[in-house]
C-alpha cells in the first residue's frame, strides 16, 4: 500500500515510478494534501482508476498493544531512544564542533533537536507519530508491507531504522514542499535588524523611561501571564512572593500593555516592555558557537545552524537585559523548550543564578520535561527521581511540596458562597469537573469532540437528577463555548437550572480560578485526563475525593498505583455510574476517590507552606548578593539554611 505524508503534484509525479512497483498501487492514502491536489490531482487520478483516500483518524485511535496512547509513548519512550541513536549518527558527529562544549550549549542543541509537539510539522515527534499512524492503518487493512512517501527531513536514516519494525519503507519526496522565505528566521541572523524590528513591534524606544532604581539586585520573573497582584488565592505569577518575605521591589517582570504597566507601577512592581535591551557596549562572555559543514548532511546542518543562532541571540540579548537591570536570579516555570537553557547561561554571564519551579505534576518520564538549572523547586523526591531519569542537570533540587497549596485557606469563603448558590436551587451533591484545552484538529491533539464529552455526560445526568449540581473549571475559558459547539445549548440549559456553575474569568492565557476553588465547593472532583493530573492532585491534597478518567491511555503513570474503579476509571459512563452509586449509598463507597496510598510520595509536607518555602529560599539568594557573596557560596548557604529548617533530605545536591 502507498501512503503520502502530504499529497501534491510534485510529491506524486516525482515518485510515480516507485509507486508503480507496488502491486496495490491502485489504492493510495494520504495524511494531508495541498489545496491544488485535492481540487485537481485527486479527481484526475480517480478518472484513471486510482482510488485516493485521506486517512481518517483521531489521536485517541492511535494506541499501542499496552493500551498506551502513542502520542504519550513517543515522549515517554520513543524520543529517548531516537536521541540515543541521533548522538551516534554520523551526521551529528560530522557537524560537531568543540565550541559546543562551552557552558550549556550542547544541552541546548540536544534538547532543541527533539523539541516540538506532534502538531508541529517539522518536529521529530510528528514524524514518529505519522509513522505510527501508517502502521495503525495498515493493520486495519491487514496489509503486510507499505511505502510511505514523506517530506525531506534531517536524520532521515534514523526514521528508516524506526520504520523497519513496522515493515514500512519510507522514502523522501525530493524537491517537494517549497521552502518559502522565513522572515522571522532571517532577521534572527542579523542582530541590528532584529533589534530594530522587535523594538518597533513592541514600541520599545528611548522614550520609554525606566522609572526604578537598577542598582540593587533583582530577580527576573518569567511568568505565565497571570498578572494578579492580590493574594486572594486566584492564579498569580507572584504567588511565591505574596506568601513569603520576598520584597516585590526586587522583582522585574514584563508588561504587555500600558494598562499592565500602570497597574504594576501602582503596586510597586518594576516592569519593562518586551524588546531588545542591548547596545554597542555589550559583549559576549563566550565564544560564538560554530559547526562544521558537510555536503552529505545539508538538512542536518541547517537545523543545527538554526539552533546555534537562536542560542546565541537569546543568550546575548538576555545577558544584556540582565546586566542593565541588575538581575542576579532568573526564575521561570518553563522547562518545556530549550529556551530556559540559554537564559540560564545568560544569567551566569552576570554572575547570577537560574531557578525553576515545578508547575505541573509529571507522572512518568517525558523528554519535554528535561531541565537544566542551578535550582529547581520540586514537589517531592518522586519528582526529583523523574528528573534524574530523564537526564536533567540540576545543582540543587529543593523539595518544597505542591506550590499552590496555600490557596485553599484563602478561597474557602468564596467556595462556600458558590456551593450555597447551587444548594439554594436544589443541589444536594455537587461534582466538580476539570477539563483540559482542546484543538480543532483531533489528529494531533485531543479534539473538540473529545472535550465535549467532559461536559455532555455529566450535564445530561444533571438534567435527569434534580439533586445533582455541577461546577466546571475549564483550563482555557476564553474560547470554551466555541469549542463546545452544539453542547453549548445543553450547558445553557444546565446553567438555567441554577445547579451548574462555570468559572470563566481569564488571564492572558488561562482561567484565573484555580482548581481548588471549585474543589472546595464540591463532594467529588473528576479530572477527565489522567495524563495531566496536576489539578486532580491539587484537590486530592485537600482530602477531597478525586477521580481520574483515563480515556487516552497512560498506563505507565505513577497515578496508576491508585485503586481502579475507586479512583481510576476508563470512561465517563462508568465513572458517573459509580458516582451516583456512591451518593446513593448511606455511607458511600469505602475508599472512593481516596489518594492516601500515594499522597505522601507526591507531597511530603501538605502544610500549605510550599509557596512560603520557595519565596524565602529566593530571598536568601538575593540577600546573599546584597552581602557581596559569590553565587556558589550563596547557593551553598541557602541549601544549608533550608536543610536546617526543613530537614536534611529536603535538598538534593548533584
Amino acid at each position: 500500500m502507498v501512503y503520502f505524508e502530504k499529497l501534491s503534484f510534485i510529491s506524486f509525479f516525482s515518485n510515480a515510478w516507485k509507486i508503480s512497483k507496488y502491486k496495490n498501487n491502485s489504492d493510495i492514502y494520504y495524511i494531508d494534501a495541498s489545496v491544488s491536489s485535492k481540487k485537481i490531482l485527486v479527481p484526475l487520478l480517480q478518472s484513471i482508476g486510482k482510488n485516493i483516500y485521506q486517512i481518517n483518524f483521531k489521536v485517541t485511535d492511535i494506541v499501542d498493544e499496552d493500551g498506551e496512547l502513542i502520542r504519550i509513548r513517543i515522549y515517554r519512550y520513543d524520543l529517548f531512544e531516537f536521541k540515543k541513536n541521533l548522538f551516534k549518527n554520523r551526521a551529528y558527529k560530522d557537524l560537531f564542533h568543540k565550541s559546543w562544549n562551552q557552558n550549556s550549549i550542547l544541552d541546548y542543541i540536544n534538547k532543541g533537536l527533539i523539541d516540538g509537539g506532534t502538531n508541529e510539522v517539522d518536529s521529530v515527534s510528528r514524524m514518529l507519530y505519522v509513522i505510527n499512524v501508517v502502521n495503525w492503518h495498515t493493520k486495519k487493512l491487514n496489509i503486510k508491507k507499505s511505502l510511505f512517501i514523506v517530506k525531506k527531513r534531517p536524520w532521515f536514516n534514523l526514521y528508516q531504522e524506526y520504520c523497519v519494525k513496522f515493515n514500512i519503507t519510507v522514502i523522501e519526496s525530493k524537491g517537494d514542499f517549497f521552502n518559502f522565505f522565513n522572515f522571522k528566521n532571517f532577521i534572527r541572523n542579523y542582530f541590528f535588524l532584529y533589534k530594530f524590528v522587535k523594538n518597533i513591534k513592541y514600541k520599545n524606544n528611548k522614550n520609554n523611561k525606566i522609572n526604578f532604581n537598577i542598582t540593587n539586585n533583582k530577580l527576573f520573573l518569567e511568568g505565565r501571564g497571570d498578572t494578579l497582584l492580590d493574594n486572594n488565592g486566584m492564579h498569580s505569577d507572584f504567588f511565591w512572593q505574596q506568601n513569603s518575605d520576598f520584597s516585590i521591589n526586587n522583582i522585574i517582570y514584563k508588561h504587555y500593555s500600558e494598562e499592565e504597566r500602570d497597574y504594576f507601577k501602582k503596586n510597586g512592581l518594576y516592569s519593562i516592555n518586551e524588546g531588545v535591551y542591548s547596545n554597542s557596549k555589550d559583549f559576549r562572555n563566550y565564544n560564538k558557537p560554530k559547526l562544521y559543514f558537510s555536503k552529505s548532511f545539508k538538512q542536518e546542518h541547517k537545523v543545527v545552524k538554526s539552533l546555534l543562532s537562536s542560542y546565541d541571540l537569546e543568550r546575548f540579548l538576555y545577558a544584556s537585559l540582565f546586566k542593565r537591570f541588575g538581575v542576579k536570579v532568573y526564575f521561570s516555570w518553563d522547562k518545556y523548550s530549550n529556551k530556559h537553557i540559554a537564559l540560564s547561561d545568560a544569567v551566569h554571564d552576570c554572575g547570577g543564578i537560574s531557578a525553576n519551579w515545578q508547575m505541573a505534576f509529571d507522572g512518568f518520564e517525558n523528554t519535554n520535561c528535561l531541565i537544566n538549572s542551578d535550582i529547581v523547586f520540586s514537589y517531592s523526591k518522586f519528582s526529583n527521581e523523574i528528573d534524574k531519569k530523564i537526564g536533567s542537570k540540576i545543582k540543587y533540587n529543593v523539595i518544597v511540596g505542591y506550590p499552590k497549596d496555600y490557596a485553599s485557606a484563602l478561597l474557602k469563603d468564596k467556595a462556600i458562597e458558590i456551593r450555597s448558590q447551587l444548594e439554594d436551587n436544589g443541589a444536594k451533591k455537587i461534582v466538580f469537573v476539570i477539563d483540559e484545552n482542546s484543538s480543532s484538529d483531533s489528529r494531533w491533539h485531543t479534539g473538540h469532540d473529545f472535550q465535549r464529552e467532559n461536559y455532555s455526560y455529566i450535564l445530561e445526568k444533571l438534567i435527569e437528577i434534580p439533586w445533582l449540581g455541577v461546577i466546571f473549571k475549564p483550563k482555557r475559558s476564553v474560547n470554551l463555548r466555541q469549542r463546545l459547539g452544539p453542547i453549548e445549548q445543553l450547558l445553557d440549559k444546565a446553567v438555567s437550572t441554577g445547579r451548574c456553575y462555570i468559572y470563566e474569568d481569564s488571564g492572558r492565557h488561562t482561567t484565573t480560578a484555580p482548581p481548588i476553588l471549585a474543589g472546595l465547593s464540591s463532594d467529588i472532583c473528576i479530572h477527565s485526563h489522567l495524563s495531566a493530573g496536576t489539578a486532580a492532585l491539587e484537590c486530592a491534597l485537600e482530602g477531597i475525593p478525586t477521580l481520574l478518567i483515563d480515556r487516552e491511555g497512560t498506563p505507565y503513570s505513577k497515578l496508576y498505583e491508585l485503586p481502579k474503579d475507586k479512583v481510576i476509571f476508563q470512561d465517563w459512563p462508568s465513572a458517573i455510574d459509580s458516582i451516583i452509586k456512591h451518593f446513593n449509598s448511606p455511607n458511600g463507597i469505602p475508599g472512593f476517590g481516596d489518594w492516601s496510598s500515594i499522597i505522601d510520595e507526591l507531597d511530603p509536607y501538605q502544610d500549605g507552606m510550599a509557596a512560603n518555602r520557595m519565596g524565602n529560599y529566593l530571598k536568601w539568594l538575593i540577600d546573599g548578593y546584597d552581602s557581596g557573596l559569590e553565587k556558589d557560596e550563596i547557593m551553598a548557604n541557602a541549601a544549608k539554611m533550608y536543610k536546617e529548617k526543613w530537614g536534611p533530605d529536603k535538598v538534593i545536591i548533584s
Side-chain angles (χ1 to χ4, degrees):
M1 196 64 69
V2 177
Y3 293 86
F4 282 86
E5 180 186 7
K6 186 170 183 179
L7 181 67
S8 69
F9 278 92
I10 296 176
S11 65
F12 180 80
F13 287 109
S14 64
N15 294 286
W17 68 275
K18 296 175 185 176
I19 296 171
S20 66
K21 294 180 179 181
Y22 272 69
K23 197 177 291 184
N24 291 333
N25 67 72
S26 60
D27 289 343
I28 296 173
Y29 291 88
Y30 63 90
I31 292 174
D32 278 314
S34 64
V35 175
S36 60
S37 63
K38 283 185 177 181
K39 289 183 177 180
I40 303 171
L41 180 59
V42 170
L44 176 64
L45 294 174
Q46 288 172 338
S47 70
I48 59 173
K50 299 287 186 183
N51 299 313
I52 315 291
Y53 308 100
Q54 183 168 15
I55 303 177
N56 184 21
F57 68 95
K58 296 179 180 178
V59 70
T60 48
D61 295 329
I62 317 302
V63 179
D64 70 11
E65 296 80 4
D66 295 330
E68 185 173 19
L69 193 73
I70 294 293
R71 188 175 68 87
I72 290 174
R73 193 199 69 195
I74 284 170
Y75 300 112
R76 183 189 65 80
Y77 178 78
D78 296 37
L79 281 171
F80 285 108
E81 294 301 305
F82 187 91
K83 186 164 66 169
K84 288 178 188 175
N85 294 329
L86 190 152
F87 296 159
K88 300 174 188 175
N89 192 263
R90 185 188 156 198
Y92 184 88
K93 292 178 179 178
D94 282 4
L95 297 173
F96 185 90
H97 192 277
K98 62 180 181 180
S99 62
W100 300 4
N101 288 322
Q102 299 174 83
N103 311 119
S104 303
I105 295 174
L106 188 59
D107 296 325
Y108 181 93
I109 295 169
N110 292 345
K111 184 172 172 65
L113 288 173
I114 60 167
D115 264 352
T118 52
N119 58 323
E120 297 176 47
V121 175
D122 294 322
S123 69
V124 173
S125 61
R126 171 66 160 255
M127 183 58 178
L128 298 182
Y129 178 65
V130 294
I131 290 170
N132 279 275
V133 169
V134 170
N135 179 54
W136 165 81
H137 194 258
T138 57
K139 285 183 176 179
K140 278 184 64 177
L141 299 180
N142 198 27
I143 300 297
K144 303 298 182 184
K145 294 181 180 181
S146 58
L147 175 70
F148 189 23
I149 301 168
V150 303
K151 174 183 176 179
K152 188 175 179 65
R153 279 180 166 84
W155 328 109
F156 190 73
N157 63 321
L158 297 182
Y159 297 120
Q160 290 175 316
E161 293 171 11
Y162 185 81
C163 286
V164 169
K165 60 185 175 182
F166 302 125
N167 226 359
I168 296 171
T169 300
V170 60
I171 62 173
E172 295 177 304
S173 182
K174 293 181 172 60
D176 201 7
F177 296 79
F178 294 104
N179 291 318
F180 292 106
F181 176 71
N182 189 315
F183 182 70
K184 183 178 179 181
N185 287 340
F186 173 76
I187 64 170
R188 290 176 75 86
N189 292 316
Y190 298 93
F191 172 72
F192 292 107
L193 180 59
Y194 179 85
K195 179 179 179 179
F196 174 77
V197 170
K198 195 161 187 179
N199 284 345
I200 290 294
K201 178 180 178 180
Y202 292 103
K203 300 177 182 178
N204 187 30
N205 53 51
K206 294 180 181 179
N207 294 326
N208 286 335
K209 296 180 180 179
I210 304 301
N211 56 3
F212 56 86
N213 178 9
I214 62 173
T215 58
N216 61 328
N217 298 300
K218 288 188 169 58
L219 175 149
F220 180 87
L221 174 61
E222 184 157 19
R224 304 183 66 234
D226 297 318
T227 58
L228 185 69
L229 294 176
D230 296 325
N231 189 23
N232 58 11
M234 305 298 272
H235 280 316
S236 170
D237 289 336
F238 309 92
F239 70 94
W240 52 275
Q241 179 272 324
Q242 295 163 350
N243 291 279
S244 71
D245 297 327
F246 196 102
S247 172
I248 196 170
N249 295 322
N250 287 107
I251 299 175
I252 292 181
Y253 187 78
K254 284 186 178 180
H255 59 253
Y256 287 86
S257 68
E258 292 183 3
E259 290 76 16
E260 282 188 357
R261 179 197 63 197
D262 294 342
Y263 170 64
F264 295 150
K265 183 179 178 182
K266 180 180 177 182
N267 287 277
L269 173 67
Y270 302 140
S271 68
I272 59 174
N273 200 13
E274 179 65 271
V276 175
Y277 293 89
S278 182
N279 55 48
S280 58
K281 296 180 181 179
D282 293 320
F283 59 90
R284 291 178 179 84
N285 283 4
Y286 57 97
N287 295 320
K288 189 173 180 179
K290 302 175 183 179
L291 76 164
Y292 290 109
F293 178 74
S294 172
K295 290 183 179 179
S296 302
F297 304 114
K298 292 180 180 179
Q299 289 282 319
E300 290 80 2
H301 181 274
K302 182 178 179 182
V303 169
V304 176
K305 183 180 179 182
S306 177
L307 284 169
L308 291 176
S309 295
S310 294
Y311 171 87
D312 181 57
L313 188 67
E314 288 167 354
R315 178 175 177 177
F316 179 72
L317 294 184
Y318 271 90
S320 301
L321 185 156
F322 294 159
K323 288 173 187 174
R324 178 171 180 182
F325 298 120
V327 172
K328 290 298 182 183
V329 178
Y330 163 66
F331 189 43
S332 175
W333 59 276
D334 186 12
K335 62 183 178 182
Y336 304 102
S337 74
N338 60 352
K339 179 183 175 182
H340 79 274
I341 299 175
L343 271 58
S344 179
D345 278 351
V347 80
H348 293 165
D349 289 338
C350 305
I353 296 167
S354 59
N356 288 67
W357 65 279
Q358 183 184 347
M359 178 194 69
F361 172 72
D362 304 316
F364 52 89
E365 296 98 307
N366 186 327
T367 52
N368 278 348
C369 297
L370 186 145
I371 189 169
N372 189 322
S373 185
D374 293 321
I375 298 168
V376 170
F377 297 106
S378 295
Y379 294 3
S380 64
K381 288 183 181 178
F382 170 76
S383 298
N384 175 66
E385 287 302 316
I386 290 285
D387 279 323
K388 284 182 180 178
K389 288 177 181 178
I390 65 176
S392 292
K393 292 183 179 179
I394 303 166
K395 291 181 180 178
Y396 295 87
N397 201 312
V398 184
I399 309 301
V400 295
Y402 181 67
K404 300 292 186 72
D405 62 356
Y406 69 92
S408 58
L410 301 170
L411 295 168
K412 285 180 179 176
D413 290 344
K414 177 67 175 175
I416 292 170
E417 178 186 330
I418 298 300
R419 183 177 181 96
S420 298
Q421 182 179 317
L422 270 60
E423 288 178 335
D424 289 345
N425 288 285
K428 292 182 173 59
K429 296 292 183 181
I430 298 172
V431 175
F432 162 41
V433 176
I434 308 162
D435 79 346
E436 293 292 322
N437 198 9
S438 61
S439 165
S440 58
D441 194 335
S442 60
R443 298 176 301 169
W444 318 117
H445 199 277
T446 53
H448 296 331
D449 287 341
F450 194 72
Q451 293 297 336
R452 286 165 188 166
E453 289 185 0
N454 293 334
Y455 290 80
S456 60
Y457 282 110
I458 195 69
L459 288 174
E460 288 167 357
K461 192 61 65 173
L462 178 142
I463 300 299
E464 175 190 331
I465 300 176
W467 50 261
L468 184 63
V470 178
I471 298 175
F472 293 103
K473 204 292 295 183
K475 185 171 185 177
R476 182 171 168 81
S477 59
V478 174
N479 60 350
L480 171 64
R481 293 177 180 276
Q482 174 191 337
R483 292 187 287 116
L484 286 179
I487 305 301
E488 182 182 8
Q489 293 181 353
L490 182 61
L491 180 63
D492 289 339
K493 184 178 179 180
V495 170
S496 69
T497 67
R499 292 180 284 116
C500 178
Y501 187 87
I502 315 165
Y503 283 98
E504 297 191 75
D505 289 342
S506 179
R508 283 188 201 147
H509 309 293
T510 57
T511 309
T512 56
I516 193 60
L517 174 56
L520 291 169
S521 302
S522 308
D523 299 286
I524 293 284
C525 302
I526 307 176
H527 199 318
S528 50
H529 302 273
L530 188 147
S531 60
T534 312
L537 174 62
E538 183 168 298
C539 295
L541 284 166
E542 281 297 309
I544 305 166
T546 303
L547 311 183
L548 295 162
I549 305 180
D550 188 23
R551 293 180 296 156
E552 296 103 321
T554 322
Y556 293 94
S557 172
K558 173 71 174 178
L559 299 181
Y560 251 89
E561 294 179 16
L562 292 165
K564 189 177 179 182
D565 298 328
K566 288 190 176 182
V567 175
I568 296 178
F569 296 85
Q570 304 303 315
D571 53 52
W572 267 104
S574 62
I576 290 177
D577 288 346
S578 293
I579 289 169
I580 301 305
K581 181 180 178 181
H582 175 70
F583 285 155
N584 285 330
S585 301
N587 298 313
I589 298 172
F592 196 69
D594 184 2
W595 287 41
S596 60
S597 60
I598 67 168
I599 200 71
D600 291 342
E601 292 182 69
L602 308 184
D603 183 341
Y605 298 98
Q606 302 168 54
D607 59 358
M609 294 287 288
N612 176 271
R613 284 186 279 271
M614 281 174 55
N616 284 338
Y617 202 104
L618 292 167
K619 180 181 183 298
W620 295 340
L621 301 181
I622 293 296
D623 288 347
Y625 281 109
D626 288 343
S627 298
L629 303 178
E630 296 296 319
K631 72 172 187 178
D632 288 340
E633 186 177 1
I634 291 169
M635 289 191 289
N637 289 344
K640 181 181 178 182
M641 287 188 284
Y642 193 84
K643 287 192 285 187
E644 289 173 351
K645 185 173 180 62
W646 298 107
D649 62 336
K650 296 301 189 292
V651 179
I652 300 166
I653 304 172
S654 62

